[in-house]
Amino acid sequence: EPEVTQTPSHQVTQMGQEVILRCVPISNHLYFYWYRQILGQKVEFLVSFYNNEISEKSEIFDDQFSVERPDGSNFTLKIRSTKLEDSAMYFCASSRDHSNQPQHFGDGTRLSIL
Amino acid sequence: AQSVTQLGSHVSVSEGALVLLRCNYSSSVPPYLFWYVQYPNQGLQLLLKYTTGATLVKGINGFEAEFKKSETSFHLTKPSAHMSDAAEYFCAVSRADSGNTPLVFGKGTRLSVIA
């Protein structure tokens, strides 16, 4: 069964540095998402992406964050000037183009900011 | 706005006993409802979903959930717990009125299964 794959599985970065989290969505999916889960808290929506542009974003997704689909397969989340509170598990998800199609999640990238 | 409340951050059952994980939602528009399971160090795996039609939905691993609009609930059940069911379970809601919309998750319920 097709899967959403995320790399790296664990990223350790010094505060203030930039990080890029990578995702390969399922190949025939058209909607892409990033969520995050701070340790011990609920999974929170960051941003959704469709047709090469952001379709929706949450209050969390401020100017520090950006997303890109640089080629036909990858979907990236860039975090600039990382802060301690950016430490979390970041999940990528994708879904097909119908509104009742479920989102399929990757295994996540654990981001640790030191 | 939408929100999800999962009653009980931790539920413990004996192997073979009934599993009941509670989920109540709030939504100003017709909702789509989902249950996801998360095993340690893994991503979120879809257990089941309610979109339209039959209000009792069956998912993987013997789980099922019933959408009750009058109670704004979508509780997850399994008749007989297995050790492999131990995991974190998340209820989620999205909007049914337009396109693919973000999921709003509950805080999760950790299920422990005792031998």
Side-chain angles (χ1 to χ4, degrees), chain B residues 2-115:
Chain B
Q2 297 181 304
S3 66
V4 172
T5 301
Q6 290 185 241
L7 290 176
S9 59
H10 187 200
V11 170
S12 185
V13 301
S14 298
E15 190 174 21
L18 171 72
V19 175
L20 170 60
L21 304 182
R22 299 179 186 274
C23 171
N24 288 89
Y25 70 91
S26 172
S27 180
S28 56
V29 298
Y32 289 155
L33 294 158
F34 307 83
W35 275 99
Y36 283 85
V37 61
Q38 185 181 32
Y39 298 101
N41 300 315
Q42 294 187 25
L44 299 166
Q45 180 183 4
L46 180 70
L47 271 180
L48 49 78
K49 64 175 182 176
Y50 167 78
T51 53
T52 57
T55 56
L56 180 63
V57 293
K58 296 184 184 300
I60 62 172
N61 302 337
F63 285 92
E64 61 182 37
E66 186 171 11
F67 170 57
K68 292 187 177 181
K69 184 178 179 180
S70 61
E71 299 176 8
T72 61
S73 69
F74 191 57
H75 301 329
L76 181 72
T77 61
K78 181 174 180 177
S80 177
H82 192 272
M83 297 296 288
S84 61
D85 294 327
E88 187 95 18
Y89 291 80
F90 294 92
C91 182
V93 63
S94 69
R95 303 190 306 268
D97 57 343
S98 63
N100 259 344
T101 62
L103 294 170
V104 175
F105 285 89
K107 289 186 176 181
T109 298
R110 181 169 300 278
L111 176 66
S112 297
V113 182
I114 304 167

Side-chain angles (χ1 to χ4, degrees), chain A residues 19-61:
Chain A
V19 295
I20 297 177
L21 309 183
R22 302 181 190 280
C23 169
V24 179
I26 295 173
S27 62
N28 64 345
H29 286 188
L30 300 178
Y31 287 81
F32 314 116
Y33 308 82
W34 283 101
Y35 293 83
R36 80 172 184 190
Q37 184 181 29
I38 295 172
L39 187 63
Q41 299 186 24
K42 66 170 68 176
V43 178
E44 302 172 292
F45 166 72
L46 292 178
V47 64
S48 59
F49 193 85
Y50 171 72
N51 199 26
N52 285 319
E53 62 182 23
I54 290 173
S55 52
E56 196 164 344
K57 62 182 180 179
S58 72
E59 292 178 350
I60 303 169
F61 194 86

